[in-house]
Amino acid sequence: MPIAQPPAPTAPVTSHLPKIALVGRPNVGKSTLFNRLIRANRAITHDRPGVTRDRMEGQVRSRGKRTFAIVDTGGITLDAHAAVAEGPEGIRGFEAEILRQAEAAMAEAAGICLVVDGRDGLTPFDEHLAAHLRRAGKPVLVVVNKVDGVEREDEMLAEFHALGFPLLPVSAAHGHNVRALADEMRDMLPDGPDELDEPEEGDEAGEAGDADDFGPAQDGDGAEDEGAESGAPAAETKGPAYDPTHLRLAMLGRPNAGKSSLVNALSGQQRMIVSDVAGTTRDSVDVSFESGDRTITFVDTAGVRRRSRITDSVERFSVNASLKSTTKAHVTLLVLDALQGVTQQDKRLVDLLDERKTPFMVLVNKIDLVPRKLMPDLEASFKGMLEFCPHVPLLYVSAKSGKGLGPVLPMAERIRAECHVRVGTGQLNRAMEEVLTRHQPPVVRRVRPKFFYLTQAETNPPTFVFFVNDADRIQTPYARYVEKALRRMFRIEHAPMRVRFRSSHKKKGE
């Protein structure tokens, strides 16, 4: 039975902050503690052990206190001699990779929290981990989890004193002592310039910082807004704010299409666990790196299968998080498997993104494995898939060889810039006159539609509203012609666009 909701996909960049790593055996509550500290349901939590594989980073913020990063890691099941201890089925075969991820987190961290299970007591593997951490030469705090009240603290902490580290009893599930844990973590940080959290009025993290239980904040994201219905001249911005120094990209696709391999190749880091096993990635994990004067964040997500084939609750949470990530990213990279060709699920994902007007591009991965003589047919099939959204860029790449990866980031930046195009009303109406002059709307039921004026209602994506005498007389082919003309005039070649027709019996100004 799951004990948390699907994770929220958005996370702040943490590369500039001091870090605290959470390490421990599987199923001791690291991910629940991570969610409690960052006040967001980002890490998938389940009472089945071995759910977490990749490491995940988040910020711990409290009003007027130093902000720092924490790193959630998968459950370690390798003992001191690198032999596999008996571990949960969910991480079998990934033990070495999970250990590598945990060691990378510890190497970057200023301090380490060894999370143990107070109900299970001290286990031999806890002792192995404590000995390993002692050799790391960094501050270590033993966090005894699942201690639900002060009345049992002495009893449940007694045997953990043998580890020789400071102890702190907490309950991640109920919030007991989590505020004290955050303060203890701050004491482990090195001296440096304090980045104090001073949220503005109404800021969610700041309000949560005053809560007694240090409880997770609700992500509160509803269904995607389909856009404004008014034709107000001032263009409104939807979706993520435009920040030229930060580009956020969500990876989406079926299982085993190569999303994690592409993240590693594009970021230049072996950040994500990669294997031939479909469904390796479960959490939506942020991977940030610097490129010139910009920060680029990839959100690697779990593979999306047909809902009818999903019977596991963990996979259901992962898929929900994957789809939600596309609404929080500037651009979505839809990764397809060249060896599998175009599948029905690929078409469903394209239709979903196009219907939501999500900025996206298609990356056909594993192109190095396709024989050259089959390429023309393969390209024709993928182009046919995009017949109804021809503005979407289609790139053929190989994460393994690096082929075709050069244009990916520039194209993503171009799509993001096009999403924020704003056009003045005067220029719009001159464009409308030119469009109508070239090709008048056809007569429908013995009446030709009259166009009064054109305005831009929104950006991200650009949304243009034509005011006409009868919107029902605008036929689909003419609407497509108008969209193509606007794209050509305003150089919106690859971003999604909404073109709407609104019935009005008055010209502007009447």
Side-chain angles (χ1 to χ4, degrees):
M1 176 180 172
I3 56 177
Q5 297 300 316
T10 302
V13 177
T14 61
S15 57
H16 65 291
L17 297 173
K19 298 177 182 179
I20 299 292
L22 302 177
V23 300
R25 298 182 292 113
N27 209 34
V28 294
K30 297 183 297 298
S31 294
T32 305
L33 194 59
F34 175 84
N35 286 345
R36 178 72 69 169
L37 285 162
I38 68 171
R39 305 186 192 94
N41 290 323
R42 283 193 57 224
I44 293 178
T45 57
H46 199 282
D47 52 10
R48 179 198 310 168
V51 170
T52 303
R53 291 172 179 168
D54 294 286
R55 73 184 191 268
M56 181 181 293
E57 298 182 3
Q59 286 188 11
V60 180
R61 303 170 59 193
S62 290
R63 189 185 299 273
K65 296 184 179 181
R66 187 177 183 183
T67 298
F68 63 95
I70 56 172
V71 186
D72 183 27
T73 63
I76 301 174
T77 56
L78 294 180
D79 64 18
H81 303 289
V84 178
E86 185 64 28
E89 182 178 355
I91 58 176
R92 289 178 190 168
F94 300 100
E95 295 90 351
E97 286 292 334
I98 289 174
L99 178 61
R100 181 182 64 81
Q101 292 266 349
E103 288 179 337
M106 290 186 286
E108 296 176 358
I112 303 169
C113 286
L114 172 60
V115 185
V116 296
D117 189 331
R119 296 174 185 172
D120 291 346
L122 182 63
T123 67
F125 197 73
D126 291 331
E127 295 177 328
H128 282 307
L129 278 177
H132 179 69
L133 298 182
R134 191 172 287 109
R135 292 191 293 270
K138 294 186 177 183
V140 176
L141 173 67
V142 176
V143 180
V144 185
N145 193 23
K146 306 181 184 180
V147 180
D148 296 333
V150 294
E151 64 277 1
R152 298 198 60 193
E153 287 184 0
D154 292 341
E155 174 189 351
M156 299 181 76
L157 264 63
E159 56 186 329
F160 291 104
H161 286 286
L163 298 177
F165 291 121
L167 306 178
L168 183 67
V170 302
S171 173
H174 299 101
H176 173 62
N177 250 5
V178 175
R179 182 183 294 277
L181 173 60
D183 290 337
E184 290 287 341
M185 288 179 168
R186 289 187 178 90
D187 292 340
M188 300 168 69
L189 301 177
D191 294 334
D194 289 348
E195 181 169 330
L196 301 183
D197 183 41
E198 297 179 356
E200 298 177 359
E201 184 177 355
D203 181 72
E204 180 178 293
E207 292 175 358
D210 296 330
D212 291 337
D213 63 352
F214 222 81
Q218 299 297 321
D219 48 41
D221 295 308
E224 183 181 359
D225 188 354
E226 289 300 326
E229 290 298 327
S230 68
E236 298 179 1
T237 300
K238 297 288 184 179
Y242 184 78
D243 178 3
T245 65
H246 186 203
L247 179 63
R248 186 175 179 85
L249 307 173
M251 311 297 290
L252 187 69
R254 292 183 297 111
N256 216 26
K259 299 181 293 298
S260 297
S261 298
L262 280 171
V263 170
N264 289 344
L266 288 167
S267 66
Q269 312 172 37
Q270 292 301 311
R271 180 63 173 77
M272 301 300 302
I273 295 177
V274 176
S275 78
D276 295 332
V277 179
T280 298
T281 303
R282 286 174 170 170
D283 290 291
S284 293
V285 181
D286 287 15
V287 179
S288 298
F289 67 100
E290 303 295 329
S291 176
D293 57 352
R294 293 180 304 168
T295 299
I296 297 176
T297 300
F298 286 101
V299 186
D300 193 16
T301 65
V304 179
R305 296 196 299 165
R306 292 178 57 183
R307 290 190 180 273
S308 60
R309 296 183 179 180
I310 299 175
T311 58
D312 179 66
S313 59
V314 172
E315 183 179 0
R316 186 175 297 110
F317 284 173
S318 299
V319 168
N320 289 342
S322 299
L323 296 175
K324 200 170 186 180
S325 294
T326 65
T327 67
K328 298 297 182 181
H330 297 115
V331 180
T332 295
L333 310 185
L334 178 60
V335 183
L336 308 183
D337 189 336
L339 300 180
Q340 298 293 325
V342 179
T343 68
Q344 287 299 318
Q345 181 66 356
D346 294 333
K347 293 179 180 178
R348 290 189 187 94
L349 292 174
V350 169
D351 290 343
L352 175 69
L353 295 173
D354 185 48
E355 180 181 355
R356 292 181 174 181
K357 297 301 179 183
T358 300
F360 77 103
M361 57 195 293
V362 175
L363 303 183
V364 181
N365 192 25
K366 308 180 185 179
I367 202 67
D368 56 317
L369 302 179
V370 178
R372 182 172 297 180
K373 62 181 180 180
L374 298 180
M375 279 300 298
D377 291 339
L378 184 75
E379 292 177 356
S381 65
F382 282 107
K383 287 180 180 178
M385 178 187 66
L386 299 175
E387 180 180 2
F388 293 100
C389 46
H391 64 277
V392 176
L394 178 62
L395 302 180
Y396 298 91
V397 302
S398 170
K400 185 175 181 179
S401 68
K403 181 179 180 180
L405 296 182
V408 172
L409 295 181
M411 179 59 73
E413 183 59 60
R414 179 177 177 181
I415 295 173
R416 196 261 294 266
E418 289 181 2
C419 283
H420 292 270
V421 167
R422 293 176 182 267
V423 185
T425 302
Q427 187 179 357
L428 282 172
N429 285 283
R430 287 191 294 272
M432 183 185 74
E433 292 178 4
E434 182 178 343
V435 169
L436 296 177
T437 301
R438 288 185 177 181
H439 181 36
Q440 288 188 337
V443 175
V444 178
R445 297 191 297 274
R446 293 185 291 185
V447 176
R448 189 184 303 276
K450 293 183 179 179
F451 283 65
F452 296 139
Y453 65 97
L454 167 63
T455 187
Q456 183 174 1
E458 297 173 0
T459 60
N460 198 22
T463 301
F464 300 98
V465 181
F466 285 87
F467 285 84
V468 300
N469 62 337
D470 188 352
D472 294 335
R473 297 181 187 273
I474 307 298
Q475 297 180 330
T476 301
Y478 193 75
R480 291 202 191 105
Y481 158 74
V482 169
E483 179 180 337
K484 289 180 180 178
L486 292 177
R487 287 185 178 278
R488 183 181 65 254
M489 292 178 182
F490 304 129
R491 298 182 180 179
I492 306 175
E493 298 181 16
H494 300 297
M497 178 189 293
R498 288 191 178 103
V499 178
R500 291 174 173 159
F501 300 91
R502 182 78 49 76
S503 296
S504 175
H505 299 291
K506 295 182 180 181
K507 293 186 177 182
K508 188 175 181 183
E510 292 183 3

